[in-house]
Amino acid sequence: MTGTVHARGVAYRYPQHNHGLAPVSLSIAPGDRVLVTGPSGCGKSTLARCLTGLIPHLYHGTLEGEVLLDGQRTSDTPLWRLAECAGLVFQNPSAQMLAHSVEEEIIFGLENLGLPRQTIAGRLEATLSRFGLEAMRDRAPQTLSGGEQQKLALAAVMARQPSVLVLDEPLSMLDGTAADELVTHLADLADVGTTVIACEHREEYLQSLAGLRTLRLNGPAPEEIEVPAMRPRPTRAEVERLVVEGMAVSLGGRPILRNLSFALEPGQVVAVVGRNGVGKTTLLRALAGLQKHEGAVRMNGSRPDLGLVFQNADLQLFNATVREEILFRVPQPDMELYEWLLAALGLARYEEIPPLLLSEGEKKRVALATVLLRQPRHGVLLDEPSLGQDTAHKAMLIRLARALADAGQLIILTTHDLPLAAQADQLALLGPEGFVARGPSADVLRDDAAWSRLGLSVPEWVHAPGDQL
């Protein structure tokens, strides 16, 4: 029957580091809604690859057990045939982009199915409309924000209408409104018989799915990571505030940031929240000096020294091992700090493993370690730092940010993870025309009018500032 998935004792080990997926057995019927969750590195992405046949056809480690997809043994069935009944949305959407435009990206998969031209045209327009991509149809996927790329990856796979839909952290880069819309769409698909399997850390959004089944994978124990006091840094009296005056950025002839002016005091954690594509990443790149912009960015009368951890860690990692990555071109590295970072970020057991072979959450932590070892003088910029992180590691992240702030640094993070944003000292809501609200997190979270102006809302389950993640 279409839409069935059976896994019998499925386990997998990657040849490069001998980690992967512990044995899993499950039986999924058409129209089932399944949430796969568990700590970072427990094998959620690996299971998704097993269920859709990418393992063993594209990954050549050690596979045990078997997977039957619509009655077909995945190990014995060509991948092109499996693709006719199953679709996988990758955790990193940029790895799934193949075409030169949004429209072509959606059409590509439909043409591979050999669908009639009229059917393709109809599905294209319906998909662009459902995912709010009409205005972007001619843009190159590489010019989209991370959240917009995630929408496109979802749209391209869902347009094929697979009987089994596997999604690897589909909500990770979506703003709250887009996340709610996706969950509604998944419910509609399940109601007409599509099997929906979602691997996700932001599971609160999925709890509204009727009949949701939850599979919790075991993995490395989510340890309570203690962040010791950072070494002395400049006091707040010695470091002036960050001043931004008249910042404006245009990309491809489109204005992204318009005449943005603000000032931030050192020694605090500031969260920036906004809709997908509003310019949060562009703002951080401009502050770090990586994006050409109009206006001035000053601290102590000159350009600030701010370290930036990218949203997509793949763009920041290129060395052969985690150790080489963190130490790359650091003259006279502080090896005591290096060892501290390995322990604090849960990376010690991966020291000799190529960083690009790690999970998305682990790669983000490697990228963070590379920035912190360089000890930027004035602060750190974190672009969507909670991507791929479980609750324990998000709690570690906010404690680390707090330790840096207490030592006098300025920490600015962009995020769609409102429980994480609630832990910041200051919360700034960024809209198309600039900041619509900025102040203590507790006050901004209660500013319903400001959230409404952005087309967002604060769910009831968001933790209040001061609560622990």
Side-chain angles (χ1 to χ4, degrees), residues 237-256:
E238 296 172 325
V239 180
E240 294 181 9
R241 62 183 181 169
L242 173 70
V243 178
V244 176
E245 295 178 338
M247 178 184 285
V249 177
S250 293
L251 298 174
R254 298 179 299 104
I256 305 299

Side-chain angles (χ1 to χ4, degrees), residues 31-144:
D32 277 0
R33 304 148 171 90
V34 179
L35 165 65
V36 180
T37 187
S40 297
C42 69
K44 296 184 295 297
S45 296
T46 302
L47 177 61
R49 294 165 185 161
C50 289
L51 297 182
T52 52
L54 269 64
I55 293 175
H57 292 290
L58 295 184
Y59 296 82
H60 304 293
T62 303
L63 175 66
E64 300 175 4
E66 64 176 3
V67 175
L68 299 178
L69 185 62
D70 282 354
Q72 306 172 94
R73 192 189 310 272
T74 55
S75 58
D76 299 336
T77 306
L79 194 57
W80 65 265
R81 185 173 296 280
L82 295 174
E84 292 179 338
C85 58
L88 172 61
V89 179
F90 292 5
Q91 186 176 19
N92 183 350
S94 65
Q96 206 158 355
M97 304 290 110
L98 298 171
H100 296 292
S101 71
V102 167
E103 179 174 302
E104 291 172 347
E105 190 70 47
I106 296 172
I107 290 175
F108 181 79
L110 302 176
E111 290 180 335
N112 279 345
L113 294 178
L115 298 176
R117 182 171 301 177
Q118 186 174 1
T119 300
I120 291 176
R123 289 198 192 180
L124 170 65
E125 297 306 323
T127 300
L128 289 171
S129 176
R130 176 173 282 278
F131 286 90
L133 297 171
E134 301 101 321
M136 307 174 198
R137 65 190 306 155
D138 296 322
R139 286 178 56 185
Q142 295 74 23
T143 68
L144 304 181

Side-chain angles (χ1 to χ4, degrees), residues 353-428:
I353 293 174
L356 290 176
L357 296 179
L358 302 180
S359 72
E360 294 300 318
E362 291 160 349
K363 286 189 286 188
K364 290 282 283 190
R365 299 202 296 277
V366 173
L368 175 58
T370 67
V371 169
L372 293 181
L373 190 70
R374 284 159 178 75
Q375 302 185 65
R377 181 182 174 193
H378 298 127
V380 178
L381 311 174
L382 306 171
D383 197 0
E384 295 285 358
S386 65
L387 294 183
Q389 309 299 339
D390 56 36
T391 300
H393 284 101
K394 284 193 284 187
M396 173 276 296
L397 177 66
I398 201 66
R399 288 196 295 272
L400 176 57
R402 171 60 50 217
L404 290 165
D406 288 345
Q409 295 226 312
L410 175 62
I411 310 301
I412 305 176
L413 61 92
T414 65
T415 188
H416 294 298
D417 190 322
L418 297 188
L420 181 70
Q423 307 299 309
D425 301 305
Q426 298 279 317
L427 178 55

Side-chain angles (χ1 to χ4, degrees), residues 294-317:
E294 299 177 11
V297 178
R298 299 191 307 275
M299 182 177 275
N300 290 352
S302 59
R303 189 90 200 185
D305 177 18
L306 299 168
L308 173 61
V309 181
F310 293 5
Q311 183 179 60
N312 182 356
D314 284 3
L315 301 178
Q316 209 159 359
L317 307 175

Side-chain angles (χ1 to χ4, degrees), residues 129-424:
S129 176
R130 176 173 282 278
F131 286 90
L133 297 171
E134 301 101 321
M136 307 174 198
R137 65 190 306 155
D138 296 322
R139 286 178 56 185
Q142 295 74 23
T143 68
L144 304 181
S145 72
E148 290 167 340
Q149 286 186 343
Q150 192 159 47
K151 285 185 181 181
L152 176 55
L154 290 161
V157 171
M158 291 185 182
R160 291 168 35 207
Q161 299 180 4
S163 59
V164 176
L165 181 60
V166 182
L167 309 114
D168 193 0
E169 294 219 32
L171 307 176
S172 60
M173 299 185 192
L174 299 183
D175 61 57
T177 298
D180 285 334
E181 291 172 350
L182 175 61
V183 173
T184 298
H185 185 33
L186 295 178
D188 292 341
L189 290 174
D191 286 343
V192 296
T194 301
T195 300
V196 176
I197 305 170
C199 305
E200 185 58 66
H201 286 299
R202 297 174 72 186
E203 56 186 277
E204 297 90 350
Y205 283 97
L206 294 166
Q207 296 304 321
S208 62
L209 286 175
L212 182 68
R213 296 168 50 193
T214 299
L215 171 64
R216 298 191 182 276
L217 299 182
N218 295 320
E223 55 198 315
E224 181 71 15
I225 304 172
E226 294 297 330
V227 179
M230 300 296 291
R231 59 198 59 224
R233 290 181 182 269
T235 66
R236 299 185 189 191
E238 296 172 325
V239 180
E240 294 181 9
R241 62 183 181 169
L242 173 70
V243 178
V244 176
E245 295 178 338
M247 178 184 285
V249 177
S250 293
L251 298 174
R254 298 179 299 104
I256 305 299
L257 299 176
R258 300 173 175 86
N259 195 30
L260 203 59
S261 297
F262 60 92
L264 294 173
E265 299 294 333
Q268 62 177 337
V269 180
V270 180
V272 179
V273 173
R275 297 296 301 270
N276 291 129
V278 77
K280 299 184 296 298
T281 294
T282 301
L283 171 62
L284 294 192
R285 289 176 58 83
L287 292 176
L290 299 180
Q291 173 62 58
K292 184 178 179 180
H293 62 85
E294 299 177 11
V297 178
R298 299 191 307 275
M299 182 177 275
N300 290 352
S302 59
R303 189 90 200 185
D305 177 18
L306 299 168
L308 173 61
V309 181
F310 293 5
Q311 183 179 60
N312 182 356
D314 284 3
L315 301 178
Q316 209 159 359
L317 307 175
F318 49 84
N319 279 286
T321 67
V322 166
R323 178 185 177 87
E324 292 176 50
E325 192 71 64
I326 299 174
L327 296 174
F328 183 71
R329 289 191 176 178
V330 179
Q332 298 180 329
D334 183 335
M335 295 308 295
E336 182 181 351
L337 176 59
Y338 169 78
E339 296 294 340
W340 182 88
L341 289 169
L342 285 181
L345 298 175
L347 298 172
R349 67 178 181 144
Y350 302 123
E351 191 173 11
E352 300 303 324
I353 293 174
L356 290 176
L357 296 179
L358 302 180
S359 72
E360 294 300 318
E362 291 160 349
K363 286 189 286 188
K364 290 282 283 190
R365 299 202 296 277
V366 173
L368 175 58
T370 67
V371 169
L372 293 181
L373 190 70
R374 284 159 178 75
Q375 302 185 65
R377 181 182 174 193
H378 298 127
V380 178
L381 311 174
L382 306 171
D383 197 0
E384 295 285 358
S386 65
L387 294 183
Q389 309 299 339
D390 56 36
T391 300
H393 284 101
K394 284 193 284 187
M396 173 276 296
L397 177 66
I398 201 66
R399 288 196 295 272
L400 176 57
R402 171 60 50 217
L404 290 165
D406 288 345
Q409 295 226 312
L410 175 62
I411 310 301
I412 305 176
L413 61 92
T414 65
T415 188
H416 294 298
D417 190 322
L418 297 188
L420 181 70
Q423 307 299 309

